[in-house]
Amino acid sequence: MTRRVAVIGGGSSGLACIKCCLDEGLEPVCFESSNDIGGLWRFKENPESDRASIYHSVIINTSKEMMCYSDYPIPAHFPNFMHNTLIMDYYRMYADHFKLIQHIRFNTKVSQVKQRSDFSRSGQWDVETENSDGKKEKHIFDAVMICIGHHCQPNMPLHDFPGINTFTGKYFHSRDYKTPEEWRDKKVVVIGIGNSGGDIAVELSRVTKQLYLSTRRGAWVLNRVGNSGVPIDLSFNRFTGFLRRNLPFGFFCSLAEKRLDQRFDHALYNLKPKHRLFSQHPTVNDELPNRILSGTVQVKPNIRRFQGSSVEFDDGSVVEDVDLVVFATGYRFSFPFLASQVLSVTENKASLYKYVFPPELDQPTLSIIGLVQPLGAIMPISEMQARWATRVFKGCIKLPSVAAMLKDIQYKQETMARRYVTSQRHTIQVDYVDYMDEIAEMVGVRPNVFKLLLTDPRIGLSVVFGPSTPYQYRLGGPGKWAGARQAILTQWERMAKPMQTRPCEVEPKRSVIVDHDDYIHCISFALFCLVYFLENAFS
């Protein structure tokens, strides 16, 4: 009999799960509480309870070549950094191409997921759902994949802001912000300098009388636009990952921080934090320095107290007649339909093997997909997790012992605590390339660098020095895609295509390695090979 899999959520992770189930001959049934796919990326004017919500102008921070599903490149004419409407267009194209919609039950909320009485033998789950008409149903599934993300429940730490109950202006969480027009010629304070806080501050500063950006720690600010105008995340590759792993942490941070300070001096702009660049999830924002330089955004420390319409900051400065405060203070996640003994969440911490499997279940038939915070795109990571999970469900891959999984979980928690500043934001942080390779190794699809260098040097060099695009994980192994090689060879062309909108006599640079002198390339390549060999020989 075909094993039935419940997929909870029809966003980017849910779509990947449906596709992976079909690839593995499983029968997916996706329950989506709204009337459409897209999850976080589907804009709605009025936020819905317990659902992610974005503002009208949101543009993604990861480029199209890095964020696409591994066997379905984003069209060449799409811009590198897409508006949320184009992301939705891509999801619809993907769902239509692989015929995923027919497996989704819309307007159906999952109210309970619990183990069946014979779970230790069968691994099956009872899933209770309720549709928009109030009709309840009970289902039996062989496995469950939870894909609800971690941007549903806003974190509003009002207890940390004395006097907020006396504030005479308006305040809300960033998920409730939609457009700036209402706040023209007003005074606004934005609390938090993450990606949402930075974006909202920049957008509001174009119309407000004055925008104040309050931050406890400051932040390192990255640009979407990297060297030579290439999207910055196309520099994420195995070679830079190799340097990060093998150079002293402080030295590697200093190299990167120096590059960021060449664009603008973070101390001069009152943004420089005490922590190192790779000790916090960085903020990606191209326009913030310009808004600070023009005076429309003023960077302020943490808020000490509210009093009426006044806001007093930790440095003793006071801003009078504040009209709006936006709390860009992040999110909490939980799984209210799961019993706590199955998976408990405390302060945004959940005990999951590789951030996917609860380690102490009798049968590995429950997976959490997309519960990570990468410096990079979530879509390929969710897809890789789904490829792994579905093969575990089929019995093609066996998980380690409970003791080994708990040891791995503890190691990751300790490593994270040493590297990152303490924050609920950093409980699910992963390095994109390292984590993709880690899961790919278990699936059997991690690119074999040395084999590729010997048998297909052009692709081998791209895999080492080029961007770690998702297509690399379709070159071989389960789920191999015949178009992967060509997708890698043409990724720079797709990057350049949307910008070629007028005839130009000078052709843009197109090479596997951007801005690398041949001599430096050869030395770097030799060092990489040597250390990579030593790493693997003694691991």
Side-chain angles (χ1 to χ4, degrees):
M1 290 179 62
T2 303
R3 294 172 67 84
R4 299 180 74 233
V5 180
V7 177
I8 303 175
S12 61
S13 298
L15 293 177
C17 287
I18 299 170
K19 161 73 162 49
C20 290
C21 283
L22 295 173
D23 288 347
E24 294 296 338
L26 304 173
E27 181 186 338
V29 179
C30 177
F31 299 106
E32 167 55 44
S33 62
S34 73
N35 62 355
D36 202 358
I37 62 172
L40 170 70
W41 291 101
R42 182 164 55 89
F43 172 78
K44 293 201 74 173
E45 193 68 44
N46 298 309
E48 300 173 346
S49 176
D50 296 325
R51 289 189 58 81
S53 178
I54 57 173
Y55 39 99
H56 187 269
S57 63
V58 167
I59 292 173
I60 198 165
N61 284 331
T62 50
S63 67
K64 65 179 181 181
E65 291 301 305
M66 295 296 289
M67 65 162 277
C68 65
Y69 297 111
S70 61
D71 56 357
Y72 195 74
I74 293 172
H77 66 278
F78 276 36
N80 283 280
F81 293 102
M82 299 188 294
H83 185 263
N84 58 83
T85 52
L86 288 175
I87 295 173
M88 284 298 300
D89 288 346
Y90 173 64
Y91 289 161
R92 295 192 198 287
M93 293 163 61
Y94 179 77
D96 289 344
H97 181 78
F98 292 109
K99 298 178 174 56
L100 307 181
I101 299 297
Q102 65 197 60
H103 300 281
I104 304 176
R105 299 188 186 183
F106 292 106
N107 298 306
T108 304
K109 182 178 181 179
V110 173
S111 52
Q112 189 176 57
V113 175
K114 64 179 181 179
Q115 297 158 297
R116 303 208 78 208
S117 57
D118 63 347
F119 179 81
S120 59
R121 178 183 60 81
S122 69
Q124 290 183 324
W125 298 84
D126 286 321
V127 177
E128 186 173 309
T129 61
E130 183 176 350
N131 66 18
S132 55
D133 297 325
K135 181 183 177 182
K136 296 183 178 181
E137 289 186 89
K138 291 185 177 181
H139 317 262
I140 299 172
F141 285 98
D142 298 295
V144 177
M145 308 178 84
I146 298 175
C147 317
I148 62 174
H150 50 91
H151 292 97
C152 294
Q153 300 169 21
N155 179 43
M156 285 278 280
L158 298 182
H159 58 275
D160 291 336
F161 296 91
I164 186 67
N165 59 315
T166 72
F167 181 56
T168 56
K170 187 174 182 179
Y171 66 87
F172 51 69
H173 192 270
S174 57
R175 79 184 296 273
D176 296 313
Y177 171 79
K178 296 300 170 185
T179 56
E181 286 77 14
E182 181 183 352
W183 306 105
R184 185 172 296 276
D185 298 324
K186 306 292 186 182
K187 286 186 181 180
V188 177
V189 176
V190 174
I191 301 173
I193 197 173
N195 289 321
S196 294
D199 283 350
I200 292 170
V202 164
E203 181 167 276
L204 280 169
S205 71
R206 298 192 185 100
V207 302
T208 54
K209 183 177 181 180
Q210 184 62 58
L211 191 291
Y212 303 91
L213 180 57
S214 171
T215 170
R216 285 182 298 172
R217 298 190 186 96
W220 293 102
V221 180
L222 273 62
N223 213 1
R224 285 188 182 92
V225 183
N227 292 341
S228 302
V230 171
I232 193 170
D233 58 357
L234 293 185
S235 64
F236 296 171
N237 57 44
R238 284 182 173 75
F239 182 65
T240 54
F242 153 77
L243 291 177
R244 181 182 53 77
R245 289 192 304 273
N246 290 280
L247 292 175
F249 179 75
F251 179 70
F252 188 68
C253 286
S254 294
L255 290 176
E257 289 163 8
K258 184 176 180 180
R259 293 292 296 272
L260 294 184
D261 275 337
Q262 286 175 344
R263 178 179 171 234
F264 75 91
D265 187 329
H266 283 63
L268 178 64
Y269 281 65
N270 209 23
L271 286 172
K272 188 170 184 175
K274 292 180 180 178
H275 60 262
R276 307 309 303 266
L277 171 59
F278 297 108
S279 293
Q280 184 181 27
H281 193 83
T283 297
V284 180
N285 197 300
D286 295 70
E287 298 183 68
L288 183 58
N290 298 331
R291 306 312 296 180
I292 295 172
L293 199 60
S294 66
T296 56
V297 171
Q298 288 187 22
V299 180
K300 305 293 287 183
N302 198 36
I303 292 173
R304 180 178 292 170
R305 66 172 64 89
F306 290 89
Q307 188 169 1
S309 65
S310 301
V311 177
E312 181 183 346
F313 297 93
D314 278 350
D315 62 355
S317 61
V318 178
V319 176
E320 307 280 354
D321 302 320
V322 174
D323 299 287
L324 170 68
V325 176
V326 180
F327 284 83
T329 45
Y331 293 84
R332 294 173 287 105
F333 63 83
S334 65
F335 307 99
F337 45 78
L338 276 178
S340 59
Q341 63 265 28
V342 174
L343 180 62
S344 63
V345 178
T346 305
E347 296 180 342
N348 273 17
K349 294 178 183 177
S351 181
L352 293 167
Y353 177 60
K354 309 293 186 189
Y355 303 100
V356 175
F357 286 100
E360 298 183 279
L361 293 180
D362 292 333
Q363 299 285 348
T365 55
L366 174 67
S367 64
I368 314 297
I369 306 298
L371 191 66
V372 290
Q373 179 77 45
L375 177 55
I378 187 66
M379 283 71 93
I381 286 181
S382 293
E383 181 191 42
M384 184 61 71
Q385 291 175 332
R387 292 173 71 181
W388 178 37
T390 50
R391 291 186 66 76
V392 170
F393 296 160
K394 280 183 66 177
C396 300
I397 299 173
K398 184 175 176 60
L399 295 183
S401 67
V402 172
M405 289 192 283
L406 290 173
K407 183 178 179 181
D408 183 82
I409 292 168
Q410 183 179 2
Y411 171 77
K412 280 182 166 49
Q413 290 174 344
E414 291 173 352
T415 302
M416 194 176 300
R418 285 195 301 269
R419 174 174 164 181
Y420 290 99
V421 296
T422 303
S423 169
Q424 288 191 8
R425 189 183 187 192
H426 296 137
T427 58
I428 51 175
Q429 194 78 23
V430 297
D431 291 310
Y432 176 82
V433 179
D434 291 352
Y435 183 73
M436 285 286 282
D437 277 354
E438 186 177 2
I439 305 302
E441 183 75 34
M442 292 182 289
V443 181
V445 296
R446 181 177 178 177
N448 186 324
V449 172
F450 284 109
K451 182 179 179 181
L452 288 171
L453 288 169
L454 291 172
T455 60
D456 194 345
R458 193 177 177 192
I459 289 295
L461 288 172
S462 291
V463 168
V464 174
F465 291 100
S468 290
T469 46
Y471 324 120
Q472 296 183 5
Y473 300 98
R474 292 284 183 179
L475 288 168
K480 179 180 178 180
W481 174 45
R485 185 179 188 276
Q486 185 63 18
I488 293 171
L489 295 177
T490 54
Q491 58 196 5
W492 291 107
E493 295 174 16
R494 284 191 300 278
M495 181 277 293
K497 175 70 173 178
M499 294 174 285
Q500 307 306 303
T501 53
R502 60 174 281 269
C504 187
E505 294 180 1
V506 181
E507 285 289 318
K509 289 183 189 177
R510 293 186 186 171
S511 64
V512 172
I513 302 158
V514 181
D515 287 341
H516 274 64
D517 176 277
D518 285 342
Y519 177 68
I520 295 174
H521 161 42
C522 290
I523 293 176
S524 300
F525 178 62
L527 287 172
F528 171 82
C529 289
L530 175 62
V531 178
Y532 189 92
F533 171 77
L534 293 173
E535 276 185 341
N536 286 275
F538 297 103
S539 61

